């Protein structure tokens, strides 16, 4: 039986035409079901779990394994993001293509893309890229049907015009790279937090200080400068979260960093409604207009 690593390598080999070397931009191919190698001999090994680390040098991030485990449980079990996933699935359906290449840029541990691809009809290829190794390692273990790279948004290991859809969910963006890898008729779907997002948690943490609100005006206008905006959808509702979901929430959120253990005991002591307030921006490459 093939090991996880070899299965991934075989799958990547089928799609190697979409991948480019992050060092020189050259063509890549899979050698001995063990590494991705470019025409200038830059080589990147498959890990035991099946992902490839495409960073030129190691990066340490504040996102660790515990945070990603809490994100996964929260995304899969709380129902908090179900409506957002539904809206994104509909947007992708409207593209009406059977066989799409989807990139999740800043994928974390991959559960958003997994849920979204599971909802879209047809057979689609998913690439997930994140700079945090702990997230990608978990993604490769849990979702072996997609291709997972540790990599930098600012230097995507994908060829020009290779993607039909770019997902960019609650993560930083790099619009020149997104413009380069998106197909002329592809779409970028960016999910950004709005002022009410997790308001109850922010109030519990910061009371009335300025930190209590997200301000996303800059994020939205930068998106508009780079893409022709086809659609903007707001997902805003209060979702009842049980104690397990609340515990996941406080451990998955950068908001709760730098707070003492115990400070949020009250917040998670009984079920409560928490606000989701997201804007989904759908953009098409401005060059194609
Ligand atoms: C708030 S998390 C969101 C992760 C995931 N989309 C989710 O919603 O669970 C932001 C993610 O962006 C990633 N990130 C930050 N800078 C990045 C970069 N330059 N390249 C790739 N990923 C990056 C982080 O590692 C982190 O996983
Ligand atoms: Zn190279």
């Amino acid at each position: 039986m093939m090991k996880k690593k070899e299965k991934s390598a075989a799958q990547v080999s089928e799609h190697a035409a979409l991948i480019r070397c992050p060092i020189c931009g050259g063509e890549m191919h899979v050698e001995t079901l063990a590494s991705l190698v470019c025409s200038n001999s830059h080589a990147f090994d498959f890990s035991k779990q099946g992902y490839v680390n495409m960073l030129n040098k190691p990066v340490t991030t504040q996102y660790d394994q515990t945070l990603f485990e809490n994100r996964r449980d929260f995304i899969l079990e709380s129902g908090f993001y179900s409506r957002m996933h539904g809206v994104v699935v509909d947007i992708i359906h409207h593209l009406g293509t059977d066989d799409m290449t989807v990139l999740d840029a800043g994928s974390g541990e991959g559960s958003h893309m997994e849920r979204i691809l599971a909802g879209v009809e047809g057979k689609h290829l998913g690439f997930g890229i994140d700079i945090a190794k702990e997230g990608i390692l978990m993604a490769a273990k849990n979702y072996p049907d997609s291709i997972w790279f540790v990599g930098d948004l600012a230097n995507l290991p994908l060829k020009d015009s290779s993607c039909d859809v770019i997902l960019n969910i609650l993560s930083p963006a790099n619009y020149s790279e997104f413009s380069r890898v998106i197909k002329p008729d592809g779409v970028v779907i960016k999910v950004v937090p709005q002022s009410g997002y997790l308001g109850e948690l922010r109030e519990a943490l910061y009371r009335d200080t300025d930190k209590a609100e997200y301000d996303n005006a800059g994020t939205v206008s930068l998106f508009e400068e780079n893409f022709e905006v086809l659609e903007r959808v707001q997902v805003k509702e209060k979702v009842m979260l049980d104690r397990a979901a609340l515990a996941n929430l406080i451990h998955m959120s950068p908001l709760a960093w730098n707070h003492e253990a115990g400070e949020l005991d009250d917040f998670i002591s009984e079920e409560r409604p928490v606000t989701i307030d997201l804007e989904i921006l759908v953009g098409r490459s401005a060059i194609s207009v």
Side-chain angles (χ1 to χ4, degrees), residues 61 63 68 71 75 104-109 112 129-132 151-154 169-172 254:
T61 76
Y63 290 83
F68 284 119
R71 286 193 95 83
I75 294 167
D104 187 350
S107 63
E109 51 67 51
H112 286 304
I129 295 179
D130 200 284
I131 204 161
D152 191 346
L153 289 169
I169 303 177
L170 304 170
S171 290

Side-chain angles (χ1 to χ4, degrees), residues 8-204:
S8 299
Q11 192 209 15
V12 170
S13 181
E14 267 179 56
H15 302 288
L18 298 171
I19 300 168
R20 75 170 207 181
C21 175
I23 297 173
C24 70
E27 298 276 334
M28 301 204 89
H29 65 277
V30 171
E31 273 184 19
T32 63
L33 293 185
S35 357
L36 256 171
V37 182
C38 85
S39 40
N40 289 315
S41 303
H42 299 122
F44 305 85
D45 293 340
F46 283 84
S47 69
K48 189 173 82 191
Q49 299 82 2
Y51 68 87
V52 184
N53 188 337
M54 297 287 234
L55 290 174
N56 304 332
K57 50 181 191 306
V59 172
T60 32
T61 76
Q62 289 184 285
Y63 290 83
D64 62 12
Q65 189 185 341
T66 312
L67 177 140
F68 284 119
E69 282 167 358
N70 281 284
R71 286 193 95 83
R72 177 194 57 203
D73 291 349
F74 188 74
I75 294 167
L76 297 179
E77 288 161 22
S78 69
F80 194 68
Y81 294 111
S82 304
R83 267 192 59 203
M84 182 270 278
H85 293 155
V87 171
V88 173
V89 166
D90 286 347
I91 293 164
I92 296 177
H93 263 157
H94 279 135
L95 297 173
T97 316
D98 273 346
D99 187 9
M100 283 185 274
T101 301
V102 177
L103 164 66
D104 187 350
S107 63
E109 51 67 51
S111 296
H112 286 304
M113 182 164 77
E114 162 71 14
R115 275 292 150 101
I116 290 163
L117 289 182
V120 184
E121 280 165 38
K123 187 164 171 19
H124 307 293
L125 173 67
F127 281 97
I129 295 179
D130 200 284
I131 204 161
K133 191 180 107 185
E134 292 72 14
I136 291 297
L137 188 154
M138 205 177 293
K141 266 192 188 165
N142 292 327
Y143 310 124
D145 290 344
S146 294
I147 295 173
W148 301 102
F149 293 134
V150 179
D152 191 346
L153 289 169
N155 181 25
L156 294 171
L158 293 172
K159 286 211 188 135
D160 298 3
S161 300
S162 52
C163 300
D164 297 278
V165 176
I166 297 177
L167 303 173
N168 182 227
I169 303 177
L170 304 170
S171 290
N174 184 297
Y175 294 133
S176 61
E177 276 297 82
F178 290 4
S179 299
R180 181 180 68 74
V181 303
I182 196 77
K183 290 182 185 171
D185 55 354
V187 294
V188 178
I189 303 175
K190 180 167 180 66
V191 177
V192 285
Q194 297 261 73
S195 62
Y197 185 61
L198 303 179
E200 295 79 359
L201 174 60
R202 280 179 288 116
E203 262 161 44

